[in-house]
Amino acid sequence: MKYRVLIGMEVHLQLRTKSKMFCRCPVRFGAPPNTLTCPVCLGMPGALPVPNRDAMIRAIALARALDCDIATDTKFDRKNYFYPDLPKGYQISQFDRPLATGGCVEIVTEEGIKRIRLRRIHIEEDVGKNIHEDGSKLSRVDFNRAGTPLVEIVSEPDIASPEEAHKYLDALRAVVRYLDISDANMQEGNLRCEPNVNIHIETEDGVVKTPIVEVKNLNSMRNVERAAICEIARHQELYRELGAKVADLPRSTCGFDDQTDKTFVMRQKEEAHDYRYFPEPDIPPIQIGSAWLGTANDMVPELPRAKRQRFADDYGLSAYDAENLCRERSTADYFETVVKAGAAAKPTANWLLGDVSFHAKERQVAIAALGLAASRLASMVNLVEEGKVSRKAAEKDLLPRMIAEGADPAQLVTDLGLAQVDDSSVLEEAARQAIAQNPKAAADFRAGKEKALNALKGLVMRETRGKANPTVVESVLRNILETE
Ligand code: ZN
Ligand code: MN
């Protein structure tokens, strides 16, 4: 079967603001149920919503960062549906004049940079939370979250595989975190995404399109990928069963069960007209002027793609290293501080993405939050580069103590007696001993067996209790064996 995968992504992102979208209730997670509410967010008759300016500006900054066209005139609409977590019986959202249209999210694929086009970005309010307690026949509703500002980011179906879906979310989240407008954490529910999936099958009679399926309630990037894989397989199966008739099936909404790793159809997909959208009569249309645009502009820092490019150009890093360093803004900034403190870029990148990253993951903090002073890390990188301490000793003895105790690496080298021996007269003696101990290896090497040198190197390293500088050991050994 020859087919093409089309995935579009709908992302709901909770903005980090002090107060809710249309009232002054604080936005806070974990407060006792229904303590952060007021007549506005509870939808009491007569209560009037007032849009949150900070939320508007944050959303505009995001639209800027994603190269969208920002509307000069925008308005709010009511999206009508019934659900217990929706106190008003409608959600204030945006319909035909969204905050922004167009723009794109760039992902790095094996073929290079790919642009996933965006359809629109709009602002809306979050709903409350239904709580179903175990063993109880009652469901309860907590309205603390109702009215929290959300931006909805809708992409075109340009995502061509489950891996690209993952990359899209990664890239979008990186931009959001650079802007510092949301925690963008899927597990905590402040970034929620709903991929819509279908496939176009090439047949002798033309292209057959399977109906678009939207998958809901995905709580991790991994599950987004898995659900998409599942749906693609299911669409192929449907085509095998129904042939071209598959195109007549209605659009539907699916759930994903991560225990069984399966998607299941929940209902037919609702269309826009099902929601009876109409303009929100309590909020006048909004003109976005130069003052808001200016404030939003000032919030946009150097973004991941520009930083990646600069890191590759200025520091000579590989595309891979640059991408990984720039994923979190704090890590990229930290890298630059270490380099400014005098360490060479490439080895610094290796340390950060290797051992330092390992310690950060173990402690579940960002690299920059490890408490590792940039100047100390720089001096450790230099000690290794200059051959004053072995990489292994730095890894095993220096770095963990520097992180745990804030110790100074040069001091540690002295205190722990880790200084690498690179005095060739000392090493020459050890090398002669090694040759005397293993004359066969020496003879093999002289007969052209390069590998025999390793046995001799091992002996010298053992003799010096691992402190010999391996590069110097090798050249001393070669010198003796080749000239004597
Ligand atoms: Zn309120
Ligand atoms: Mn929405």
Side-chain angles (χ1 to χ4, degrees), residues 139-182:
S139 285
R140 300 166 191 275
V141 193
D142 175 8
F143 288 117
N144 281 351
R145 199 180 67 179
T148 299
L150 296 179
V151 278
E152 183 176 325
I153 304 141
V154 184
S155 88
E156 297 288 348
D158 289 350
I159 300 166
S161 67
E163 305 89 89
E164 283 191 15
H166 193 145
K167 285 184 174 172
Y168 171 86
L169 292 170
D170 251 346
L172 178 62
R173 192 176 56 178
V175 170
V176 168
R177 291 214 178 137
Y178 266 57
L179 290 165
D180 203 21
I181 56 172
S182 168

mmCIF file of all heavy atoms in Angstrom, residues 139-182:
data_model
loop_
_atom_site.group_PDB
_atom_site.id
_atom_site.type_symbol
_atom_site.label_atom_id
_atom_site.label_comp_id
_atom_site.label_asym_id
_atom_site.label_seq_id
_atom_site.Cartn_x
_atom_site.Cartn_y
_atom_site.Cartn_z
ATOM 1 N N SER A 139 -19.895 12.426 41.150
ATOM 2 C CA SER A 139 -18.810 13.167 40.506
ATOM 3 C C SER A 139 -18.866 14.584 41.059
ATOM 4 O O SER A 139 -19.935 15.106 41.329
ATOM 5 C CB SER A 139 -19.015 13.195 38.994
ATOM 6 O OG SER A 139 -18.697 11.933 38.470
ATOM 7 N N ARG A 140 -17.696 15.151 41.250
ATOM 8 C CA ARG A 140 -17.654 16.520 41.766
ATOM 9 C C ARG A 140 -17.004 17.419 40.730
ATOM 10 O O ARG A 140 -16.287 16.941 39.850
ATOM 11 C CB ARG A 140 -16.847 16.568 43.069
ATOM 12 C CG ARG A 140 -17.412 15.696 44.164
ATOM 13 C CD ARG A 140 -16.387 15.526 45.289
ATOM 14 N NE ARG A 140 -16.810 14.484 46.206
ATOM 15 C CZ ARG A 140 -17.648 14.695 47.226
ATOM 16 N NH1 ARG A 140 -18.117 15.906 47.475
ATOM 17 N NH2 ARG A 140 -18.003 13.692 48.002
ATOM 18 N N VAL A 141 -17.226 18.694 40.849
ATOM 19 C CA VAL A 141 -16.618 19.641 39.907
ATOM 20 C C VAL A 141 -15.836 20.688 40.680
ATOM 21 O O VAL A 141 -16.326 21.247 41.659
ATOM 22 C CB VAL A 141 -17.686 20.365 39.046
ATOM 23 C CG1 VAL A 141 -17.001 21.074 37.888
ATOM 24 C CG2 VAL A 141 -18.727 19.406 38.540
ATOM 25 N N ASP A 142 -14.595 20.912 40.229
ATOM 26 C CA ASP A 142 -13.755 21.970 40.804
ATOM 27 C C ASP A 142 -13.594 23.056 39.744
ATOM 28 O O ASP A 142 -13.061 22.794 38.662
ATOM 29 C CB ASP A 142 -12.395 21.361 41.189
ATOM 30 C CG ASP A 142 -11.424 22.425 41.689
ATOM 31 O OD1 ASP A 142 -11.846 23.590 41.889
ATOM 32 O OD2 ASP A 142 -10.229 22.084 41.869
ATOM 33 N N PHE A 143 -14.063 24.263 40.052
ATOM 34 C CA PHE A 143 -14.016 25.348 39.058
ATOM 35 C C PHE A 143 -12.789 26.244 39.188
ATOM 36 O O PHE A 143 -12.720 27.282 38.551
ATOM 37 C CB PHE A 143 -15.300 26.195 39.137
ATOM 38 C CG PHE A 143 -16.508 25.480 38.590
ATOM 39 C CD1 PHE A 143 -17.585 25.168 39.413
ATOM 40 C CD2 PHE A 143 -16.559 25.102 37.261
ATOM 41 C CE1 PHE A 143 -18.693 24.501 38.911
ATOM 42 C CE2 PHE A 143 -17.677 24.428 36.753
ATOM 43 C CZ PHE A 143 -18.741 24.128 37.577
ATOM 44 N N ASN A 144 -11.811 25.844 40.015
ATOM 45 C CA ASN A 144 -10.615 26.689 40.157
ATOM 46 C C ASN A 144 -9.948 26.962 38.814
ATOM 47 O O ASN A 144 -9.416 28.035 38.579
ATOM 48 C CB ASN A 144 -9.593 26.017 41.079
ATOM 49 C CG ASN A 144 -9.967 26.183 42.538
ATOM 50 O OD1 ASN A 144 -10.895 26.927 42.871
ATOM 51 N ND2 ASN A 144 -9.260 25.484 43.415
ATOM 52 N N ARG A 145 -9.949 25.961 37.939
ATOM 53 C CA ARG A 145 -9.259 26.125 36.658
ATOM 54 C C ARG A 145 -10.119 26.862 35.629
ATOM 55 O O ARG A 145 -9.597 27.372 34.625
ATOM 56 C CB ARG A 145 -8.873 24.742 36.124
ATOM 57 C CG ARG A 145 -7.791 24.767 35.074
ATOM 58 C CD ARG A 145 -7.454 23.369 34.592
ATOM 59 N NE ARG A 145 -8.571 22.767 33.859
ATOM 60 C CZ ARG A 145 -8.532 21.552 33.305
ATOM 61 N NH1 ARG A 145 -7.453 20.805 33.412
ATOM 62 N NH2 ARG A 145 -9.581 21.055 32.665
ATOM 63 N N ALA A 146 -11.442 26.908 35.863
ATOM 64 C CA ALA A 146 -12.334 27.544 34.882
ATOM 65 C C ALA A 146 -11.939 29.001 34.677
ATOM 66 O O ALA A 146 -11.805 29.761 35.627
ATOM 67 C CB ALA A 146 -13.782 27.444 35.360
ATOM 68 N N GLY A 147 -11.728 29.376 33.443
ATOM 69 C CA GLY A 147 -11.374 30.755 33.139
ATOM 70 C C GLY A 147 -9.876 31.003 33.013
ATOM 71 O O GLY A 147 -9.444 32.114 32.718
ATOM 72 N N THR A 148 -9.051 29.978 33.231
ATOM 73 C CA THR A 148 -7.599 30.136 33.046
ATOM 74 C C THR A 148 -7.310 30.455 31.573
ATOM 75 O O THR A 148 -7.893 29.847 30.679
ATOM 76 C CB THR A 148 -6.876 28.826 33.442
ATOM 77 O OG1 THR A 148 -7.151 28.575 34.810
ATOM 78 C CG2 THR A 148 -5.381 28.921 33.229
ATOM 79 N N PRO A 149 -6.426 31.431 31.284
ATOM 80 C CA PRO A 149 -6.160 31.772 29.881
ATOM 81 C C PRO A 149 -5.468 30.643 29.115
ATOM 82 O O PRO A 149 -4.510 30.051 29.603
ATOM 83 C CB PRO A 149 -5.229 32.991 29.956
ATOM 84 C CG PRO A 149 -5.028 33.306 31.371
ATOM 85 C CD PRO A 149 -5.703 32.294 32.221
ATOM 86 N N LEU A 150 -5.974 30.381 27.926
ATOM 87 C CA LEU A 150 -5.381 29.378 27.039
ATOM 88 C C LEU A 150 -5.112 30.010 25.683
ATOM 89 O O LEU A 150 -5.853 30.889 25.257
ATOM 90 C CB LEU A 150 -6.371 28.226 26.783
ATOM 91 C CG LEU A 150 -6.850 27.320 27.890
ATOM 92 C CD1 LEU A 150 -7.844 26.307 27.314
ATOM 93 C CD2 LEU A 150 -5.671 26.590 28.518
ATOM 94 N N VAL A 151 -4.056 29.555 25.018
ATOM 95 C CA VAL A 151 -3.969 29.819 23.582
ATOM 96 C C VAL A 151 -4.127 28.481 22.887
ATOM 97 O O VAL A 151 -3.615 27.463 23.347
ATOM 98 C CB VAL A 151 -2.635 30.465 23.115
ATOM 99 C CG1 VAL A 151 -2.630 31.952 23.329
ATOM 100 C CG2 VAL A 151 -1.453 29.815 23.758
ATOM 101 N N GLU A 152 -4.860 28.517 21.790
ATOM 102 C CA GLU A 152 -4.999 27.311 20.978
ATOM 103 C C GLU A 152 -4.216 27.530 19.698
ATOM 104 O O GLU A 152 -4.408 28.527 18.999
ATOM 105 C CB GLU A 152 -6.476 27.025 20.687
ATOM 106 C CG GLU A 152 -6.647 25.741 19.899
ATOM 107 C CD GLU A 152 -8.112 25.361 19.663
ATOM 108 O OE1 GLU A 152 -8.954 25.602 20.534
ATOM 109 O OE2 GLU A 152 -8.375 24.821 18.583
ATOM 110 N N ILE A 153 -3.298 26.609 19.415
ATOM 111 C CA ILE A 153 -2.424 26.731 18.248
ATOM 112 C C ILE A 153 -2.782 25.592 17.298
ATOM 113 O O ILE A 153 -2.634 24.426 17.649
ATOM 114 C CB ILE A 153 -0.944 26.629 18.671
ATOM 115 C CG1 ILE A 153 -0.642 27.690 19.735
ATOM 116 C CG2 ILE A 153 -0.009 26.778 17.476
ATOM 117 C CD1 ILE A 153 0.280 27.211 20.819
ATOM 118 N N VAL A 154 -3.266 25.939 16.118
ATOM 119 C CA VAL A 154 -3.743 24.919 15.182
ATOM 120 C C VAL A 154 -2.819 24.874 13.974
ATOM 121 O O VAL A 154 -2.586 25.892 13.325
ATOM 122 C CB VAL A 154 -5.187 25.232 14.709
ATOM 123 C CG1 VAL A 154 -5.711 24.120 13.811
ATOM 124 C CG2 VAL A 154 -6.110 25.448 15.900
ATOM 125 N N SER A 155 -2.293 23.684 13.676
ATOM 126 C CA SER A 155 -1.384 23.573 12.527
ATOM 127 C C SER A 155 -2.126 23.049 11.306
ATOM 128 O O SER A 155 -3.203 22.465 11.411
ATOM 129 C CB SER A 155 -0.213 22.640 12.847
ATOM 130 O OG SER A 155 -0.552 21.298 12.529
ATOM 131 N N GLU A 156 -1.536 23.240 10.152
ATOM 132 C CA GLU A 156 -1.997 22.580 8.929
ATOM 133 C C GLU A 156 -1.543 21.119 9.012
ATOM 134 O O GLU A 156 -0.619 20.802 9.768
ATOM 135 C CB GLU A 156 -1.359 23.246 7.697
ATOM 136 C CG GLU A 156 -1.730 24.704 7.490
ATOM 137 C CD GLU A 156 -3.177 24.894 7.029
ATOM 138 O OE1 GLU A 156 -3.825 23.895 6.658
ATOM 139 O OE2 GLU A 156 -3.656 26.035 7.071
ATOM 140 N N PRO A 157 -2.164 20.228 8.224
ATOM 141 C CA PRO A 157 -1.757 18.811 8.314
ATOM 142 C C PRO A 157 -0.438 18.551 7.585
ATOM 143 O O PRO A 157 -0.352 17.701 6.714
ATOM 144 C CB PRO A 157 -2.926 18.073 7.658
ATOM 145 C CG PRO A 157 -3.547 19.063 6.751
ATOM 146 C CD PRO A 157 -3.320 20.417 7.334
ATOM 147 N N ASP A 158 0.607 19.293 7.955
ATOM 148 C CA ASP A 158 1.910 19.183 7.288
ATOM 149 C C ASP A 158 2.824 18.161 7.938
ATOM 150 O O ASP A 158 3.924 17.900 7.454
ATOM 151 C CB ASP A 158 2.632 20.541 7.330
ATOM 152 C CG ASP A 158 1.970 21.556 6.407
ATOM 153 O OD1 ASP A 158 1.094 21.158 5.620
ATOM 154 O OD2 ASP A 158 2.339 22.745 6.477
ATOM 155 N N ILE A 159 2.407 17.612 9.075
ATOM 156 C CA ILE A 159 3.248 16.665 9.809
ATOM 157 C C ILE A 159 3.102 15.299 9.144
ATOM 158 O O ILE A 159 1.996 14.801 8.994
ATOM 159 C CB ILE A 159 2.818 16.629 11.287
ATOM 160 C CG1 ILE A 159 2.979 18.024 11.896
ATOM 161 C CG2 ILE A 159 3.598 15.580 12.063
ATOM 162 C CD1 ILE A 159 2.277 18.195 13.232
ATOM 163 N N ALA A 160 4.225 14.714 8.708
ATOM 164 C CA ALA A 160 4.150 13.555 7.822
ATOM 165 C C ALA A 160 4.440 12.221 8.491
ATOM 166 O O ALA A 160 4.463 11.190 7.827
ATOM 167 C CB ALA A 160 5.091 13.760 6.636
ATOM 168 N N SER A 161 4.676 12.228 9.809
ATOM 169 C CA SER A 161 4.930 10.954 10.491
ATOM 170 C C SER A 161 4.774 11.153 11.992
ATOM 171 O O SER A 161 4.835 12.285 12.478
ATOM 172 C CB SER A 161 6.356 10.465 10.195
ATOM 173 O OG SER A 161 7.282 11.351 10.809
ATOM 174 N N PRO A 162 4.606 10.059 12.739
ATOM 175 C CA PRO A 162 4.533 10.182 14.199
ATOM 176 C C PRO A 162 5.789 10.829 14.795
ATOM 177 O O PRO A 162 5.690 11.619 15.732
ATOM 178 C CB PRO A 162 4.386 8.732 14.667
ATOM 179 C CG PRO A 162 3.723 8.033 13.532
ATOM 180 C CD PRO A 162 4.291 8.674 12.297
ATOM 181 N N GLU A 163 6.970 10.534 14.243
ATOM 182 C CA GLU A 163 8.197 11.150 14.752
ATOM 183 C C GLU A 163 8.161 12.663 14.541
ATOM 184 O O GLU A 163 8.589 13.429 15.400
ATOM 185 C CB GLU A 163 9.456 10.609 14.051
ATOM 186 C CG GLU A 163 9.634 9.112 14.084
ATOM 187 C CD GLU A 163 8.949 8.455 12.898
ATOM 188 O OE1 GLU A 163 9.557 8.304 11.834
ATOM 189 O OE2 GLU A 163 7.752 8.080 13.055
ATOM 190 N N GLU A 164 7.668 13.074 13.377
ATOM 191 C CA GLU A 164 7.568 14.516 13.136
ATOM 192 C C GLU A 164 6.585 15.174 14.105
ATOM 193 O O GLU A 164 6.773 16.320 14.493
ATOM 194 C CB GLU A 164 7.147 14.796 11.681
ATOM 195 C CG GLU A 164 8.296 14.621 10.706
ATOM 196 C CD GLU A 164 7.962 15.152 9.297
ATOM 197 O OE1 GLU A 164 6.979 15.896 9.117
ATOM 198 O OE2 GLU A 164 8.716 14.796 8.382
ATOM 199 N N ALA A 165 5.546 14.441 14.488
ATOM 200 C CA ALA A 165 4.578 14.989 15.455
ATOM 201 C C ALA A 165 5.296 15.282 16.774
ATOM 202 O O ALA A 165 5.113 16.332 17.387
ATOM 203 C CB ALA A 165 3.434 14.003 15.672
ATOM 204 N N HIS A 166 6.126 14.338 17.175
ATOM 205 C CA HIS A 166 6.912 14.515 18.400
ATOM 206 C C HIS A 166 7.842 15.730 18.263
ATOM 207 O O HIS A 166 7.920 16.574 19.155
ATOM 208 C CB HIS A 166 7.709 13.236 18.654
ATOM 209 C CG HIS A 166 8.304 13.163 20.018
ATOM 210 N ND1 HIS A 166 8.432 11.984 20.706
ATOM 211 C CD2 HIS A 166 8.799 14.120 20.822
ATOM 212 C CE1 HIS A 166 8.981 12.240 21.885
ATOM 213 N NE2 HIS A 166 9.227 13.526 21.967
ATOM 214 N N LYS A 167 8.508 15.816 17.125
ATOM 215 C CA LYS A 167 9.432 16.940 16.903
ATOM 216 C C LYS A 167 8.704 18.275 16.881
ATOM 217 O O LYS A 167 9.216 19.282 17.372
ATOM 218 C CB LYS A 167 10.186 16.741 15.571
ATOM 219 C CG LYS A 167 11.244 15.686 15.679
ATOM 220 C CD LYS A 167 12.031 15.570 14.401
ATOM 221 C CE LYS A 167 13.182 14.593 14.608
ATOM 222 N NZ LYS A 167 13.869 14.286 13.360
ATOM 223 N N TYR A 168 7.514 18.280 16.289
ATOM 224 C CA TYR A 168 6.724 19.501 16.238
ATOM 225 C C TYR A 168 6.441 19.996 17.654
ATOM 226 O O TYR A 168 6.637 21.167 17.972
ATOM 227 C CB TYR A 168 5.409 19.228 15.490
ATOM 228 C CG TYR A 168 4.418 20.364 15.553
ATOM 229 C CD1 TYR A 168 4.461 21.407 14.637
ATOM 230 C CD2 TYR A 168 3.423 20.384 16.531
ATOM 231 C CE1 TYR A 168 3.559 22.455 14.703
ATOM 232 C CE2 TYR A 168 2.515 21.430 16.612
ATOM 233 C CZ TYR A 168 2.584 22.457 15.691
ATOM 234 O OH TYR A 168 1.691 23.496 15.767
ATOM 235 N N LEU A 169 5.998 19.071 18.512
ATOM 236 C CA LEU A 169 5.666 19.465 19.887
ATOM 237 C C LEU A 169 6.913 19.920 20.644
ATOM 238 O O LEU A 169 6.877 20.892 21.395
ATOM 239 C CB LEU A 169 4.995 18.300 20.616
ATOM 240 C CG LEU A 169 3.603 17.952 20.090
ATOM 241 C CD1 LEU A 169 3.102 16.652 20.694
ATOM 242 C CD2 LEU A 169 2.618 19.091 20.357
ATOM 243 N N ASP A 170 8.010 19.222 20.427
ATOM 244 C CA ASP A 170 9.289 19.607 21.034
ATOM 245 C C ASP A 170 9.675 21.033 20.644
ATOM 246 O O ASP A 170 10.062 21.840 21.476
ATOM 247 C CB ASP A 170 10.394 18.673 20.504
ATOM 248 C CG ASP A 170 10.872 17.721 21.578
ATOM 249 O OD1 ASP A 170 10.546 17.954 22.754
ATOM 250 O OD2 ASP A 170 11.563 16.748 21.225
ATOM 251 N N ALA A 171 9.570 21.317 19.340
ATOM 252 C CA ALA A 171 9.991 22.627 18.825
ATOM 253 C C ALA A 171 9.062 23.723 19.328
ATOM 254 O O ALA A 171 9.516 24.798 19.733
ATOM 255 C CB ALA A 171 10.007 22.597 17.292
ATOM 256 N N LEU A 172 7.764 23.441 19.329
ATOM 257 C CA LEU A 172 6.804 24.437 19.808
ATOM 258 C C LEU A 172 7.034 24.716 21.289
ATOM 259 O O LEU A 172 7.054 25.860 21.740
ATOM 260 C CB LEU A 172 5.374 23.933 19.566
ATOM 261 C CG LEU A 172 4.248 24.833 20.059
ATOM 262 C CD1 LEU A 172 4.274 26.183 19.355
ATOM 263 C CD2 LEU A 172 2.887 24.166 19.841
ATOM 264 N N ARG A 173 7.250 23.636 22.037
ATOM 265 C CA ARG A 173 7.475 23.797 23.474
ATOM 266 C C ARG A 173 8.751 24.594 23.749
ATOM 267 O O ARG A 173 8.802 25.420 24.655
ATOM 268 C CB ARG A 173 7.557 22.420 24.147
ATOM 269 C CG ARG A 173 7.506 22.510 25.652
ATOM 270 C CD ARG A 173 7.482 21.171 26.293
ATOM 271 N NE ARG A 173 8.634 20.378 25.871
ATOM 272 C CZ ARG A 173 8.903 19.167 26.307
ATOM 273 N NH1 ARG A 173 8.089 18.587 27.149
ATOM 274 N NH2 ARG A 173 9.957 18.515 25.888
ATOM 275 N N ALA A 174 9.774 24.369 22.923
ATOM 276 C CA ALA A 174 11.020 25.120 23.111
ATOM 277 C C ALA A 174 10.773 26.622 22.930
ATOM 278 O O ALA A 174 11.233 27.431 23.736
ATOM 279 C CB ALA A 174 12.086 24.631 22.128
ATOM 280 N N VAL A 175 10.002 26.989 21.905
ATOM 281 C CA VAL A 175 9.704 28.413 21.671
ATOM 282 C C VAL A 175 8.934 28.986 22.866
ATOM 283 O O VAL A 175 9.252 30.061 23.372
ATOM 284 C CB VAL A 175 8.901 28.606 20.359
ATOM 285 C CG1 VAL A 175 8.395 30.032 20.238
ATOM 286 C CG2 VAL A 175 9.752 28.234 19.150
ATOM 287 N N VAL A 176 7.939 28.234 23.321
ATOM 288 C CA VAL A 176 7.118 28.696 24.452
ATOM 289 C C VAL A 176 7.975 28.900 25.699
ATOM 290 O O VAL A 176 7.828 29.885 26.419
ATOM 291 C CB VAL A 176 5.998 27.671 24.727
ATOM 292 C CG1 VAL A 176 5.312 27.956 26.055
ATOM 293 C CG2 VAL A 176 4.980 27.677 23.596
ATOM 294 N N ARG A 177 8.910 27.977 25.921
ATOM 295 C CA ARG A 177 9.754 28.093 27.108
ATOM 296 C C ARG A 177 10.752 29.234 26.982
ATOM 297 O O ARG A 177 11.068 29.895 27.956
ATOM 298 C CB ARG A 177 10.490 26.777 27.360
ATOM 299 C CG ARG A 177 9.536 25.677 27.795
ATOM 300 C CD ARG A 177 10.212 24.735 28.775
ATOM 301 N NE ARG A 177 9.294 23.720 29.225
ATOM 302 C CZ ARG A 177 9.610 22.431 29.347
ATOM 303 N NH1 ARG A 177 10.827 22.026 29.063
ATOM 304 N NH2 ARG A 177 8.720 21.572 29.777
ATOM 305 N N TYR A 178 11.238 29.471 25.766
ATOM 306 C CA TYR A 178 12.129 30.615 25.557
ATOM 307 C C TYR A 178 11.395 31.912 25.897
ATOM 308 O O TYR A 178 11.957 32.824 26.481
ATOM 309 C CB TYR A 178 12.610 30.665 24.097
ATOM 310 C CG TYR A 178 13.929 29.973 23.854
ATOM 311 C CD1 TYR A 178 14.094 28.633 24.174
ATOM 312 C CD2 TYR A 178 15.009 30.647 23.301
ATOM 313 C CE1 TYR A 178 15.303 27.999 23.948
ATOM 314 C CE2 TYR A 178 16.214 30.020 23.073
ATOM 315 C CZ TYR A 178 16.365 28.700 23.396
ATOM 316 O OH TYR A 178 17.565 28.075 23.167
ATOM 317 N N LEU A 179 10.129 31.979 25.493
ATOM 318 C CA LEU A 179 9.333 33.179 25.771
ATOM 319 C C LEU A 179 8.962 33.269 27.244
ATOM 320 O O LEU A 179 8.564 34.328 27.722
ATOM 321 C CB LEU A 179 8.047 33.158 24.936
ATOM 322 C CG LEU A 179 8.206 33.353 23.436
ATOM 323 C CD1 LEU A 179 6.931 32.950 22.716
ATOM 324 C CD2 LEU A 179 8.527 34.811 23.133
ATOM 325 N N ASP A 180 9.048 32.113 27.941
ATOM 326 C CA ASP A 180 8.715 32.065 29.356
ATOM 327 C C ASP A 180 7.261 32.490 29.616
ATOM 328 O O ASP A 180 6.980 33.181 30.582
ATOM 329 C CB ASP A 180 9.688 32.976 30.138
ATOM 330 C CG ASP A 180 9.769 32.560 31.600
ATOM 331 O OD1 ASP A 180 9.430 31.405 31.898
ATOM 332 O OD2 ASP A 180 10.154 33.405 32.430
ATOM 333 N N ILE A 181 6.352 32.039 28.741
ATOM 334 C CA ILE A 181 4.945 32.418 28.915
ATOM 335 C C ILE A 181 4.112 31.278 29.481
ATOM 336 O O ILE A 181 2.936 31.461 29.778
ATOM 337 C CB ILE A 181 4.314 32.888 27.580
ATOM 338 C CG1 ILE A 181 4.465 31.812 26.503
ATOM 339 C CG2 ILE A 181 4.930 34.213 27.133
ATOM 340 C CD1 ILE A 181 3.702 32.128 25.229
ATOM 341 N N SER A 182 4.707 30.093 29.597
ATOM 342 C CA SER A 182 3.969 28.948 30.130
ATOM 343 C C SER A 182 4.982 27.900 30.572
ATOM 344 O O SER A 182 6.103 27.871 30.074
ATOM 345 C CB SER A 182 3.080 28.348 29.032
ATOM 346 O OG SER A 182 2.578 27.090 29.420
#
